[in-house]
Amino acid sequence: MNREMKFMQEAIKLGKQGMQNNDGGPFGCVIVKGDTIVGRGWNKVIATNDPTAHAEVTAIRDACKNVQSFQLEGCEIYTSCEPCPMCLGAIYWARPSKVYYGNTRQDAANIGFDDSLIYHEMTLPLNERKIAIECLGRNEAIKMFEEWVAKNDKTLY
């Protein structure tokens, strides 16, 4: 078994364990730097009552804690399924070098994890989305952004 399949097998194993423990859906993820796993995660939505506790997000949180950085440059993500829109956003923020996935988004949809609504909603203007999204308090909120621009000791990311 090659290096990449070894790490994918570990992601699948974590997903199976989480599913069998009723932590959440059948999804697992590992994050690798060099030849070392620096982060592990599996779907914990049910166990934590947290809709954001997907495998990739929990693995990113674990890896960032372990490497003591908010970015995962030089790391690879191995996830048992093509990342959903939320996880894909988190992956881009974390900045790994590559993502490997097992099952496709269609495979996930076939077993009841269908993200097509979210993909579609993202293409619509705000006023046409199923969940109302309205700008409120911008005159006050923009002041915080102005303070950020002027802040001399900020860390950019």
Side-chain angles (χ1 to χ4, degrees):
M1 177 182 323
N2 70 18
R3 173 187 177 278
E4 288 80 12
M5 274 307 299
K6 179 181 86 169
F7 293 126
M8 182 58 72
Q9 289 293 335
E10 182 64 20
I12 293 166
K13 182 178 111 181
L14 289 172
K16 283 182 183 179
Q17 288 173 349
M19 174 187 70
Q20 290 166 350
N21 290 339
N22 294 317
D23 288 343
F27 305 98
C29 182
V30 295
I31 299 177
V32 176
K33 186 161 190 141
D35 286 323
T36 304
I37 295 175
V38 296
R40 290 176 169 79
W42 58 93
N43 186 293
K44 298 180 183 178
V45 169
I46 295 169
T48 61
N49 290 317
D50 179 354
T52 69
H54 290 196
E56 296 90 340
V57 172
T58 60
I60 288 168
R61 290 173 180 163
D62 186 49
C64 288
K65 179 184 71 172
N66 292 333
V67 301
Q68 298 184 333
S69 175
F70 53 81
Q71 296 191 333
L72 297 174
E73 292 176 8
C75 292
E76 300 167 332
I77 294 180
Y78 295 81
T79 181
S80 64
C81 188
E82 184 178 353
C84 75
M86 176 188 68
C87 292
L88 190 59
I91 288 166
Y92 272 89
W93 281 114
R95 295 181 174 85
S97 59
K98 189 164 187 176
V99 176
Y100 296 92
Y101 68 90
N103 293 310
T104 68
R105 72 171 86 159
Q106 186 58 54
D107 296 331
N110 291 344
I111 65 162
F113 295 93
D114 188 353
D115 298 322
S116 61
L117 170 70
I118 300 169
Y119 284 107
H120 176 70
E121 287 282 301
M122 290 170 53
T123 67
L124 297 175
L126 294 179
N127 65 338
E128 293 179 24
R129 294 185 183 176
K130 292 188 183 303
I131 297 175
I133 300 177
E134 180 180 336
C135 185
L136 176 67
R138 184 170 180 270
N139 289 339
E140 293 301 315
I142 199 72
K143 292 175 187 173
M144 178 174 50
F145 279 13
E146 291 165 355
E147 287 181 36
W148 172 258
V149 169
K151 185 173 169 47
N152 292 322
D153 63 343
K154 63 184 170 245
T155 301
L156 298 175
Y157 56 96

